[in-house]
């Protein structure tokens, strides 16, 4: 099965470290983003998630990153782990980011 434990890096240079995946599929770690529109310096941010433990090893998973150390936003990621032709594990994800806005009328621009 796919083992999410360890370091992962995406195409933009952001890195994620998953500390340990529990027997129930829950995990925690840190996300080190390489991109941000925040004015404060980027800092590693906590993540918490859950992995669906499939016997075929190509599991689905999801996690939330709270950017509380440098931004007023939260992101959620969902994805699936694949074993590539070279035998290495590859994660494919989609994400949604919610930024804090000052009023309900600005809600339209808060989610990417």
């Amino acid at each position: 099965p796919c083992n999410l434990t360890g370091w992962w890096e995406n195409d933009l240079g952001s890195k994620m470290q998953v500390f340990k995946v529990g027997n129930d599929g829950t995990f925690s770690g840190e996300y080190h983003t390489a991109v941000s529109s925040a004015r404060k310096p980027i800092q590693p941010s906590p993540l918490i998630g859950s992995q669906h433990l499939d016997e075929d090893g190509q599991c689905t998973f999801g996690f939330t990153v709270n950017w509380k150390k440098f931004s007023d936003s939260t992101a959620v990621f969902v994805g699936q782990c694949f074993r590539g032709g070279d035998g290495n594990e590859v994660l494919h994800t989609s994400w949604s980011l919610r930024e804090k806005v000052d009023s309900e009328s600005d809600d339209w621009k808060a989610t990417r």
Side-chain angles (χ1 to χ4, degrees):
C2 179
N3 183 0
L4 292 179
T5 302
W7 284 94
W8 298 88
E9 184 172 355
N10 71 15
D11 297 339
L12 298 175
S14 296
K15 296 177 183 176
M16 169 178 78
Q17 182 182 20
V18 175
F19 300 137
K20 179 184 175 186
V21 178
N23 291 336
D24 62 353
T26 59
F27 61 89
S28 64
E30 282 188 333
Y31 200 94
H32 302 247
T33 188
V35 294
S36 173
S37 62
R39 294 189 177 130
K40 295 180 182 177
I42 295 172
Q43 295 185 45
S45 299
L47 68 84
I48 189 161
S50 181
Q51 174 183 356
H52 186 348
L53 302 172
D54 277 345
E55 291 181 18
D56 69 2
Q58 299 191 131
C59 65
T60 59
F61 60 89
F63 60 91
T64 302
V65 179
N66 186 334
W67 309 107
K68 65 183 175 186
K69 294 182 177 181
F70 67 94
S71 175
D72 289 331
S73 62
T74 302
V76 293
F77 293 76
V78 293
Q80 184 171 350
C81 181
F82 295 95
R83 189 167 303 279
D86 58 3
N88 290 326
E89 294 170 337
V90 177
L91 306 182
H92 286 264
T93 61
S94 297
W95 57 270
S96 182
L97 178 103
R98 177 66 186 217
E99 292 182 299
K100 178 181 160 185
V101 291
D102 294 327
S103 68
E104 186 177 358
S105 63
D106 287 335
D107 184 63
W108 66 271
K109 64 181 180 180
T111 304
R112 290 191 263 172

